[in-house]
Amino acid sequence: MSTTCRVCMHHCRLEEGKTGRCRARKNVEGKIESVNYGMCTALALDPVEKKPLQRFCPGKMVLSVGSFGCNLSCPFCQNHEISMCGEKALRCEYFSPKELAQQAEKLKARGNLGVAFTYNEPLVGYEYVRDTAREVRRRGMKTILVTNGAFTEETEEAVLPYIDAMNIDLKGFTEAYYKKLGGDLETVKAFIAKAAGVCHVELTTLVVPGENDSAGEIQELAEWVASVDYEIPLHVTRFFPRWRMTDQKATEVEAVYRLAGEAGKYLKYVYTGNC
């Protein structure tokens, strides 16, 4: 029996035993289940600024965890080894929500503030994010979500009550560009607007030469963000050749600073990255 997954905007219709385009959700006896629940491919204690978050608990560390899978297909993905793989392609270590929260608690002495869900796209396995975030909160610690924001309102609402801060990728500001990446701009805009009313939100836009690097586009993007809240920090970051775009040149540093300057005409906080 086929079943439709409603976690993101793709609404994959899956036959029994089949996995969605995210590689992390599967039809099991007529029910869509997460196959990456608790399956960790990466675990590291990182500075919170690396998420990147500049205006949330600066100077603190955060236990960062990744799994596998992603619902987009960005050709420049720097973590493609885990985001573009499925359950049989990687070695994983299982951590229950309680076990991961305990690991985070043990690291308090090293400046750890809690847990960050990052590296791959965490919300393709939103159940684990929700359950772990609850455990972390019970211990008086904080939770961070690094996401592309390309998810339904229902999925967002399932995790939002347990998240203290997000960095959301706003990859560009045209439907054509989002279509290239397998996404949908309006879905991401709705996700950002809702999150900004509940938790601390910062945004990241990776500047890719010839794709989303026009002054007009960054102005439109920044103007829209300002309409939500002009104090939302925007990180304008430099592209480096990765995965399927190794033949592309890195973004000129001058271009990153110039576009950040354009965004700064509308937003209170604009940061540059990878420069």
Side-chain angles (χ1 to χ4, degrees):
M1 178 177 69
S2 64
T3 305
T4 300
C5 178
R6 303 194 180 278
V7 167
C8 81
M9 71 282 166
H10 292 307
H11 292 123
C12 295
R13 189 160 184 82
L14 305 175
E15 298 296 328
E16 171 64 33
K18 298 298 182 181
T19 303
R21 63 183 291 165
C22 68
R23 306 164 186 83
R25 305 195 68 81
K26 186 177 184 179
N27 183 339
V28 180
E29 298 181 353
K31 182 181 178 182
I32 304 297
E33 295 184 358
S34 165
V35 297
N36 69 351
Y37 190 99
M39 306 305 292
C40 300
T41 60
L43 197 64
L45 188 63
D46 289 334
V48 72
E49 289 85 356
K50 192 177 176 181
K51 297 307 98 189
L53 291 170
Q54 285 290 337
R55 306 194 66 80
F56 181 80
C57 300
K60 285 288 191 176
M61 306 293 283
V62 63
L63 181 61
S64 302
V65 60
S67 185
F68 61 83
C70 183
N71 61 332
L72 299 187
S73 51
C74 305
F76 45 75
C77 182
Q78 63 179 355
N79 291 322
H80 63 90
E81 296 91 346
I82 59 175
S83 65
M84 296 294 113
C85 287
E87 58 181 324
K88 296 180 180 179
L90 290 166
R91 294 182 64 181
C92 303
E93 183 174 358
Y94 178 80
F95 285 90
S96 71
K98 186 175 181 179
E99 288 170 336
L100 189 61
Q102 288 172 338
Q103 289 285 330
E105 196 168 29
K106 290 177 183 177
L107 291 167
K108 274 187 174 181
R110 294 175 59 185
N112 182 40
L113 63 84
V115 170
F117 305 94
T118 182
Y119 301 136
N120 72 308
E121 172 47 60
L123 290 184
V124 295
Y126 78 91
E127 299 94 337
Y128 185 68
V129 173
R130 176 198 62 202
D131 297 349
T132 305
R134 284 173 176 164
E135 290 287 343
V136 173
R137 281 280 190 89
R138 288 191 186 110
R139 288 164 172 76
M141 304 184 79
K142 298 186 183 299
T143 56
I144 293 170
L145 177 64
V146 182
T147 178
N148 61 38
F151 290 86
T152 62
E153 184 176 12
E154 182 180 3
T155 300
E156 184 176 17
E157 288 179 346
V159 301
L160 199 49
Y162 314 104
I163 302 298
D164 295 289
M166 292 192 197
N167 184 286
I168 305 169
D169 280 337
L170 183 52
K171 295 180 181 292
F173 214 65
T174 67
E175 284 291 356
Y177 185 53
Y178 259 94
K179 187 174 182 180
K180 282 185 178 182
L181 307 180
D184 174 70
L185 175 59
E186 292 304 315
T187 297
V188 178
K189 287 167 65 178
F191 188 100
I192 291 169
K194 189 174 189 68
V198 179
C199 69
H200 178 85
V201 168
E202 301 191 20
L203 306 176
T204 296
T205 299
L206 180 73
V207 177
V208 182
E211 297 289 351
N212 65 343
D213 59 342
S214 72
E217 183 170 346
I218 199 72
Q219 288 169 356
E220 286 185 30
L221 183 153
E223 190 171 13
W224 176 81
V225 175
S227 75
V228 177
D229 185 345
Y230 90 109
E231 291 192 355
I232 292 176
L234 174 66
H235 300 258
V236 180
T237 61
R238 187 185 184 201
F239 160 87
F240 286 101
R242 294 289 188 272
W243 196 32
R244 293 177 176 170
M245 292 188 72
T246 55
D247 58 341
Q248 174 69 280
K249 291 183 178 179
T251 313
E252 296 290 339
V253 172
E254 182 278 330
V256 175
Y257 283 110
R258 175 171 48 81
L259 293 175
E262 294 294 334
K265 296 176 181 178
Y266 303 91
L267 298 169
K268 185 174 182 179
Y269 304 111
V270 179
Y271 302 95
T272 54
N274 298 341
C275 293

